[in-house]
């Protein structure tokens, strides 16, 4: 849910024109990879590998835990929304020591920047709540597929707000991913749980798409804030933005929890939860941890590598979430859903292909 707040990092421009033959292309690619490897210390690659693993493990795990919460007796959408941001101090545990080790100072907070953080925090809390409704009514595999439309909205809002370019490949990816979601919608009878009504399933579908749209808007606005107000491509600044937005999202979500009396309701939920109170609190605690580990991993990937690699990992984690949901949660997986998954993966590939030259020309 929080991965929308991650700020894109510009890629370095590659020199030279691409070779013509396949053998030359392979040779040039090997040379480029080897040169890139030698240009960075081993610690860089170790951290990048750990960050990639965090994205591919933590994000699917957090999605599955959200579904486990509702499947085993959890009722509150506010609690899952709160879980998504309650781990924000984990980022502070990494950020604060950086000030001392690197001898740097926090970015000064002026009124405009603070207002932007508050606004993004509010949008993020609303986004988390929308996704909570989606996971309450949809199988985890279906919710993950629908959430992949955030890529479409990120491209559209990036074009409108940040003036990012859109080429034929990106337009192609938008059409392909949209078509994949239509297939899921037309096949709704095959994956609806028996205890979920038609109205609830439809609302879960709608909330997932709306959450993805808001997800894309937050991504574009975060990039706009970073470029216009922060303007520095350093890791601690990226973490500062992440922690401030997560903090304000936590504040808004906590207010919602208090107003709806869901803090008091956690005790009664825990007593009736399948597996008992221990299982209930394990789901909550591990949900908090995996959400933030995924966000930290994504932030590190974007800073250490590129948006292209982050896009590749985002593409991979969609089928990972689907496979894990089928194996661990016995999610229904019809032929149409498999087709939709393949088409979505194709759309991701088209988007990545279209994004790579745009980043080079930036």
């Amino acid at each position: 849910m929080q991965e929308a707040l991650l700020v894109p990092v510009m890629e370095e421009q590659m020199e030279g024109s691409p070779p013509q033959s396949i053998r030359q292309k392979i040779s040039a690619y090997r040379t480029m990879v080897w040169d890139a490897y030698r240009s960075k210390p081993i610690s860089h690659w170790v951290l990048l590998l750990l960050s990639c693993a965090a994205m591919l493990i933590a994000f699917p795990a957090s999605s599955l835990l959200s579904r486990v919460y509702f499947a085993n007796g959890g009722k509150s959408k506010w609690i899952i929304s709160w879980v998504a941001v309650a781990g924000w101090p984990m980022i502070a545990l990494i950020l604060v020591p950086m000030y001392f080790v690197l001898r740097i100072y926090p970015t000064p907070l002026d009124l405009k920047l603070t207002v932007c953080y508050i606004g993004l925090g509010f949008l993020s809390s609303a986004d988390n709540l929308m996704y909570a409704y989606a996971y309450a009514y949809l199988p985890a595999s279906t919710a993950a597929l629908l959430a992949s439309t955030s890529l479409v909205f990120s491209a559209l809002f990036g074009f409108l707000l940040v003036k990012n370019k859109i080429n034929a490949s990106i337009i192609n990816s938008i059409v392909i991913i949209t078509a994949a979601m239509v297939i899921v919608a037309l096949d709704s009878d095959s994956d609806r749980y028996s205890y979920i009504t038609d109205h609830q399933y439809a609302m879960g579908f709608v909330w997932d798409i709306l959450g993805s749209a808001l997800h894309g808007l937050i991504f574009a606005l975060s990039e706009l804030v970073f470029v216009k107000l922060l303007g520095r491509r350093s890791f601690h600044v990226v973490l500062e933005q992440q922690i401030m937005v997560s903090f304000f999202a936590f504040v808004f979500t906590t207010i919602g929890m208090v107003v709806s009396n869901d803090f008091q309701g956690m005790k009664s939920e825990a007593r009736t939860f399948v597996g008992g109170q221990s299982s209930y609190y394990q789901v909550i605690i591990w949900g908090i941890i995996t959400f933030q580990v995924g966000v930290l991993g994504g932030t590190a990937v974007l800073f250490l590598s590129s948006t292209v690699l982050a896009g590749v990992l985002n593409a991979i984690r969609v089928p990972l979430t689907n496979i894990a949901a089928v194996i661990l949660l016995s999610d229904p997986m019809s032929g149409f859903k498999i087709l939709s998954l393949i088409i979505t993966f194709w759309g991701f590939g088209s988007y990545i292909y279209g994004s790579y030259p745009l980043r080079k020309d930036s």
Side-chain angles (χ1 to χ4, degrees):
M1 298 178 185
Q2 291 296 312
E3 63 270 28
L5 304 178
L6 306 178
V7 183
V9 177
M10 306 296 284
E11 284 192 279
E12 298 178 357
Q13 184 170 351
M14 293 177 56
E15 297 180 355
S17 58
Q20 296 299 316
S21 71
I22 296 178
R23 179 176 297 179
Q24 287 176 318
K25 289 181 179 181
I26 295 175
S27 177
Y29 180 76
R30 287 177 177 173
T31 302
M32 180 188 68
V33 170
W34 179 246
D35 290 342
Y37 173 77
R38 291 188 301 176
S39 67
K40 303 289 185 181
I42 294 296
S43 58
H44 171 91
W45 300 111
V46 172
L47 182 58
L48 180 59
L49 180 62
L50 292 174
S51 302
C52 293
M55 282 191 68
L56 294 179
I57 296 174
F59 276 141
S62 63
S63 298
L64 296 182
L65 286 167
S66 296
R67 184 57 221 162
V68 167
Y69 166 81
F70 290 112
N72 289 355
K75 302 295 183 183
S76 173
K77 284 76 175 178
W78 277 110
I79 289 178
I80 287 299
S81 303
W82 183 80
V83 164
V85 290
W88 66 268
M90 293 175 60
I91 306 176
L93 293 176
I94 297 177
L95 177 62
V96 173
M98 289 180 63
Y99 293 136
F100 297 97
V101 174
L102 302 179
R103 297 181 180 180
I104 53 180
Y105 294 95
T107 303
L109 277 177
D110 56 24
L111 179 60
K112 183 181 294 187
L113 188 59
T114 302
V115 170
C116 289
Y117 285 155
I118 293 174
L120 286 172
F122 176 78
L123 293 178
S124 181
S125 62
D127 188 44
N128 292 335
L129 187 60
M130 291 178 184
Y131 278 130
Y133 272 92
Y135 278 96
Y137 301 139
L138 302 175
S141 55
T142 302
L145 273 172
L146 294 176
S148 65
T149 57
S150 63
L151 185 68
V152 172
F153 294 108
S154 294
L156 294 175
F157 285 120
F159 172 74
L160 295 173
L161 300 178
V162 195
K163 307 303 180 184
N164 291 337
K165 297 178 181 178
I166 293 183
N167 59 17
S169 292
I170 294 179
I171 294 175
N172 181 58
S173 71
I174 292 174
V175 174
I176 290 172
I177 294 175
T178 302
M181 297 310 104
V182 172
I183 293 175
V184 174
L186 295 176
D187 191 44
S188 60
D189 290 339
S190 70
D191 68 349
R192 181 169 60 84
Y193 293 125
S194 58
Y195 56 87
I196 297 296
T197 66
D198 290 341
H199 176 73
Q200 287 175 326
Y201 184 91
M203 290 308 301
F205 203 97
V206 170
W207 283 121
D208 209 341
I209 296 296
L210 289 177
S212 298
L214 186 55
H215 195 94
L217 175 61
I218 293 171
F219 193 98
L221 291 175
S222 298
E223 183 177 2
L224 190 63
V225 169
F226 197 83
V227 172
K228 297 294 185 181
L229 299 183
L230 296 173
R232 287 186 291 166
R233 303 282 177 178
S234 54
F235 191 43
H236 81 276
V237 176
V238 177
L239 290 180
E240 285 173 345
Q241 185 190 42
Q242 183 65 52
I243 195 173
M244 291 302 297
V245 174
S246 296
F247 169 73
F248 283 114
F250 172 77
V251 170
F252 286 118
T253 308
T254 301
I255 293 173
M257 287 276 287
V258 172
V259 172
S260 60
N261 293 320
D262 280 353
F263 279 120
Q264 295 86 338
M266 291 179 74
K267 292 183 178 180
S268 60
E269 276 194 351
R271 286 194 296 268
T272 60
F273 197 75
V274 176
Q277 296 186 24
S278 176
S279 296
Y280 179 83
Y281 290 113
Q282 285 186 44
V283 169
I284 297 297
I285 293 171
W286 280 109
I288 292 172
I289 293 173
T290 53
F291 271 117
Q292 290 305 313
V293 169
V295 170
L296 284 171
T299 303
V301 167
L302 285 168
F303 184 79
L304 294 171
S305 182
S306 65
T307 53
V308 175
L309 179 59
V312 171
L313 296 176
N314 273 316
I316 294 173
R317 73 183 180 90
V318 172
L320 283 181
T321 303
N322 278 261
I323 294 171
V326 172
I327 296 174
L328 300 177
L329 305 181
S330 300
D331 265 18
M333 181 62 71
S334 67
F336 282 107
K337 190 184 288 187
I338 294 174
L339 175 62
S340 177
L341 178 60
I342 295 172
I343 293 176
T344 300
F345 201 72
W346 176 18
F348 270 111
S350 181
Y351 180 86
I352 293 166
Y353 179 82
S355 297
Y356 186 65
L358 292 184
R359 289 298 179 188
K360 289 194 301 179
D361 297 337
S362 299

